[in-house]
Amino acid sequence: MDAQTNEYNGEAGTESYDAIVSRLAQQDNIPWYKKPNLRLLYLIMFPTCIGVEMTSGFDSSMLNGLQAVTSWLDFYNHPHSALLGLMSAMYPLGGIAALPFVPSVTDNLGRRSSNCESPQSFPLHLILIPVVAMFLIARFILGFGMAFAVVAASSLVGELSHPKERAIMTSLFHTCYFIGTITAAGVTLGTFAMPNNWGWRIPSFFQVVPGLLQVSFIWFLPESPRWLISKGRGAEAHAILVKYHAEGDEISEFVKAEYTQIKKTLEVELKNTEMSWKEVLYTPGMRKRVIIGSFLALFTWWSGGGLVSYFLSPILDNIGIHDNRTKNIVNLFNNCWGLVNATFLALTVTRFPRRRMFLACTISLLIVFTAWTVASEEYERTKSRASSQAVLALIFLFSPAYNMGFNALTYTFLVELFPFHVRAKGITIFQWWSNAAGLVNQFVNPIGINNAGWKYYIIYCIWIAFEVAFVYFMFPETSNHTLEELTFLYEDDHGREAVRRIGEEIQHEQGHDGAETRDSDSVEGIDSWRGHGSTTHLLADSE
């Protein structure tokens, strides 16, 4: 993998553009919290982008907790097996229905505008809750809106963050899932004993909070500089980079190099800006990206996370824990533990190679799930308290094993894997497979747990073993590079020649003011660059 990574760094007797921008970023020794503008940017990102996953976390934990709320069970006639699976599966089904529209909306309206799609569904979600059919429709609508928010928000976090903190910020994106789960678990624990329908309606109403925060603060968040440059609005993009990445320093060498890197890389990328979905799979490099992104989506759902997130109550029933209060306490403590270890891992795993951490994640999951299966079989055979406690302990061990890879690194890896011009499409493909896997998972899990018991877990053990092999042979290394450096990760000699020429452009512009270039960018835009053949001249010599 190291050899593959080194191939696209561009060696041509000049310092590669990778090294220029990375070197300048690492030379900045001032931490983000001592930079007022960057600090403000990250604070605004929390409710608008990073916090998007709070909604997903709240949804999973709420549905998990409601299965231990007597008033909810009575109101919906004790749903189980197929009906419970359908109620859970409507959320990812809504996401699947939305995904064909997500890339065009995200690429045409911008990352920030697309990020407002999800909250618009919340009022309807609250109104349509009284009967089973309306509950299903409401969850479908919520999933539909969330598809836009997740793709736009994850892209925006990666494209706005300073290169020094980008990996940590994108890792924190999925960590906020646990803020939602803890809130839902806590509220459900506080209301589950109410003798009327408010025992489950109050947790449902709280689901509006993340959306309200998002709508309230989104207008203070800048648009993605990469998206602005792609639309010919180079002056606006440069102003954003100056304000947040250089604290207002107009002559910053880092911003000058970063801006040039983004602009020149987009010139090369956007020669294929009209690519259809079919053409996304046309080149070997893109096919590799799509295959890896698709399987990563399956891994995030089919590694056992869906069991703990949505169906903890029947799992606890299978090991002799039937008291509803105890179930809600276990749910709350497990989610608190998840937030603690996920946050710690998000702040630390980005220091290590991505592929190595994914391998550690899948191997750990295989060990935990194998032990979980053995302990569950032991309990069914002997009904021993020790085996029941072992399963409970393994549920808590599952959390850090899963979070070190599939929570902390999933969106970091996706943003790095797909270049700008296909990033929305790439994350959409990931979301499609994720929602499809979730749909199958959430519909099948309650049936499997109910009918097969511990034997159902054997399927997970086999699948996770496959995950280990897939990560080992297929995952590339993407750490310690800027997004533009990773554009040509899988590309041929033409791409590497373009890298060399981009490096020359950056070195050339480091010796100039750069203002003249920026004025030209804001007038002509990417379409003009493409029309005047600037992309062609970058690649011509290599052909």
Side-chain angles (χ1 to χ4, degrees), residues 27-266:
Q27 287 175 353
D28 180 4
N29 296 319
I30 303 174
W32 65 270
Y33 51 84
K34 292 186 178 180
K35 300 177 180 179
N37 292 343
L38 189 61
R39 183 173 66 234
L40 177 63
L41 175 67
Y42 290 161
L43 289 175
I44 296 174
M45 272 189 187
F46 177 75
T48 56
C49 296
I50 298 175
V52 164
E53 280 291 297
M54 286 191 292
T55 302
S56 295
F58 194 102
D59 178 78
S60 67
S61 185
M62 182 186 73
L63 192 61
N64 212 351
L66 290 180
Q67 294 171 56
V69 176
T70 303
S71 60
W72 185 82
L73 294 171
D74 292 340
F75 190 89
Y76 288 108
N77 297 317
H78 291 262
H80 65 283
S81 195
L83 178 58
L84 181 59
L86 181 62
M87 296 175 80
S88 178
M90 290 304 290
Y91 181 87
L93 186 62
I96 292 173
L99 289 173
F101 312 103
V102 170
S104 58
V105 171
T106 304
D107 287 338
N108 292 320
L109 294 185
R111 312 307 202 204
R112 189 178 69 170
S113 298
S114 303
N115 201 15
C116 291
E117 293 295 322
S118 175
Q120 296 172 1
S121 68
F122 283 107
L124 194 57
H125 173 258
L126 298 174
I127 293 170
L128 295 181
I129 211 163
V131 298
V132 172
M134 294 297 99
F135 188 87
L136 296 176
I137 293 172
R139 289 183 56 74
F140 178 90
I141 294 172
L142 181 60
F144 188 94
M146 278 299 297
F148 291 90
V150 170
V151 173
S154 58
S155 298
L156 196 54
V157 171
E159 293 170 11
L160 266 178
S161 298
H162 191 286
K164 281 177 61 180
E165 293 91 28
R166 174 181 49 78
I168 291 176
M169 295 299 289
T170 49
S171 293
L172 288 171
F173 178 78
H174 204 40
T175 301
C176 286
Y177 176 92
F178 289 101
I179 298 177
T181 62
I182 291 170
T183 304
V187 173
T188 306
L189 177 62
T191 64
F192 87 99
M194 288 184 177
N196 51 45
N197 288 332
W198 286 108
W200 59 268
R201 287 185 185 274
I202 289 176
S204 301
F205 274 100
F206 266 84
Q207 197 162 7
V208 76
V209 174
L212 288 177
L213 289 173
Q214 191 179 356
V215 169
S216 300
F217 288 95
I218 192 68
W219 314 111
F220 300 100
L221 189 73
E223 181 55 88
S224 162
R226 289 163 177 83
W227 183 83
L228 290 171
I229 292 174
S230 75
K231 298 302 179 182
R233 295 159 63 180
E236 295 177 56
H238 183 262
I240 290 171
L241 293 174
V242 167
K243 179 177 181 179
Y244 294 107
H245 290 189
E247 294 298 306
D249 182 4
E250 290 277 356
I251 60 173
S252 166
E253 289 296 320
F254 171 72
V255 167
K256 189 184 299 181
E258 183 184 29
Y259 179 86
T260 304
Q261 180 192 49
I262 295 171
K263 183 194 72 174
K264 295 301 180 182
T265 304
L266 285 179

Side-chain angles (χ1 to χ4, degrees), residues 303-304 307 315 318-319 364-382 387-388 390-395 398 452-465:
S303 299
L307 285 171
I315 289 173
N318 285 350
I319 58 172
S364 299
L365 285 172
L366 182 59
I367 294 171
V368 168
F369 231 96
T370 302
W372 183 344
T373 304
V374 172
S376 297
E377 186 276 334
E378 177 72 13
Y379 177 81
E380 184 173 297
R381 185 165 48 84
T382 65
S387 56
S388 175
V391 172
L392 195 59
L394 288 163
I395 290 173
F398 173 87
W454 69 268
K455 298 181 183 69
Y456 181 59
Y457 303 149
I458 296 175
I459 299 173
Y460 280 94
C461 294
I462 296 171
W463 175 259
I464 296 171

Side-chain angles (χ1 to χ4, degrees), residues 209-523:
V209 174
L212 288 177
L213 289 173
Q214 191 179 356
V215 169
S216 300
F217 288 95
I218 192 68
W219 314 111
F220 300 100
L221 189 73
E223 181 55 88
S224 162
R226 289 163 177 83
W227 183 83
L228 290 171
I229 292 174
S230 75
K231 298 302 179 182
R233 295 159 63 180
E236 295 177 56
H238 183 262
I240 290 171
L241 293 174
V242 167
K243 179 177 181 179
Y244 294 107
H245 290 189
E247 294 298 306
D249 182 4
E250 290 277 356
I251 60 173
S252 166
E253 289 296 320
F254 171 72
V255 167
K256 189 184 299 181
E258 183 184 29
Y259 179 86
T260 304
Q261 180 192 49
I262 295 171
K263 183 194 72 174
K264 295 301 180 182
T265 304
L266 285 179
E267 287 185 36
V268 177
E269 286 188 56
L270 294 178
K271 71 186 182 72
N272 294 321
T273 192
E274 303 299 329
M275 288 199 308
S276 67
W277 279 101
K278 180 180 179 180
E279 289 171 323
V280 168
L281 304 174
Y282 186 74
T283 66
M286 282 309 306
R287 285 196 293 272
K288 289 179 182 178
R289 290 182 172 96
V290 169
I291 289 171
I292 292 169
S294 299
F295 273 94
L296 179 59
L298 300 181
F299 296 165
T300 59
W301 271 104
W302 291 352
S303 299
L307 285 171
V308 178
S309 297
Y310 284 88
F311 303 107
L312 183 60
S313 180
I315 289 173
L316 295 178
D317 281 329
N318 285 350
I319 58 172
I321 300 175
H322 304 292
D323 179 65
N324 283 344
R325 178 176 175 79
T326 302
K327 290 179 181 179
N328 276 295
I329 291 174
V330 171
N331 186 32
L332 176 59
F333 273 85
N334 187 48
N335 284 306
C336 289
W337 165 236
L339 176 63
V340 170
N341 69 69
T343 302
F344 172 78
L345 290 166
L347 296 174
T348 55
V349 298
T350 53
R351 301 176 184 179
F352 303 97
R354 311 281 191 260
R355 178 174 171 272
R356 185 180 302 170
M357 294 311 301
F358 275 118
L359 276 173
C361 169
T362 51
I363 292 171
S364 299
L365 285 172
L366 182 59
I367 294 171
V368 168
F369 231 96
T370 302
W372 183 344
T373 304
V374 172
S376 297
E377 186 276 334
E378 177 72 13
Y379 177 81
E380 184 173 297
R381 185 165 48 84
T382 65
K383 303 299 181 184
S384 69
R385 182 179 177 84
S387 56
S388 175
Q389 291 176 337
V391 172
L392 195 59
L394 288 163
I395 290 173
F396 279 80
L397 287 175
F398 173 87
S399 180
Y402 180 93
N403 289 339
M404 77 169 70
F406 297 137
N407 184 289
L409 291 177
T410 292
Y411 285 98
T412 301
F413 188 68
L414 285 172
V415 170
E416 293 171 346
L417 183 65
F418 290 100
F420 171 84
H421 72 288
V422 291
R423 187 165 295 136
K425 287 186 174 69
I427 297 177
T428 297
I429 291 171
F430 168 87
Q431 282 292 315
W432 192 95
W433 282 107
S434 178
N435 281 286
L439 178 66
V440 173
N441 198 293
Q442 293 179 39
F443 186 77
V444 171
N445 274 341
I447 300 174
I449 295 170
N450 186 61
N451 296 337
W454 69 268
K455 298 181 183 69
Y456 181 59
Y457 303 149
I458 296 175
I459 299 173
Y460 280 94
C461 294
I462 296 171
W463 175 259
I464 296 171
F466 166 74
E467 292 180 7
V468 175
F470 188 93
V471 170
Y472 182 83
F473 290 107
M474 293 294 292
F475 272 38
E477 185 52 66
T478 61
S479 60
N480 298 319
H481 295 284
T482 67
L483 297 182
E484 281 64 44
E485 293 166 24
L486 294 164
T487 296
F488 307 104
L489 174 64
Y490 283 123
E491 316 321 316
D492 57 14
D493 291 338
H494 294 350
R496 289 192 291 274
E497 176 64 13
V499 172
R500 184 184 68 81
R501 292 191 174 278
I502 293 170
E504 291 175 352
E505 291 275 1
I506 293 176
Q507 287 194 325
H508 173 73
E509 295 210 8
Q510 279 191 302
H512 294 79
D513 178 29
E516 185 176 338
T517 302
R518 290 192 296 273
D519 291 341
S520 175
D521 297 342
S522 63
V523 174

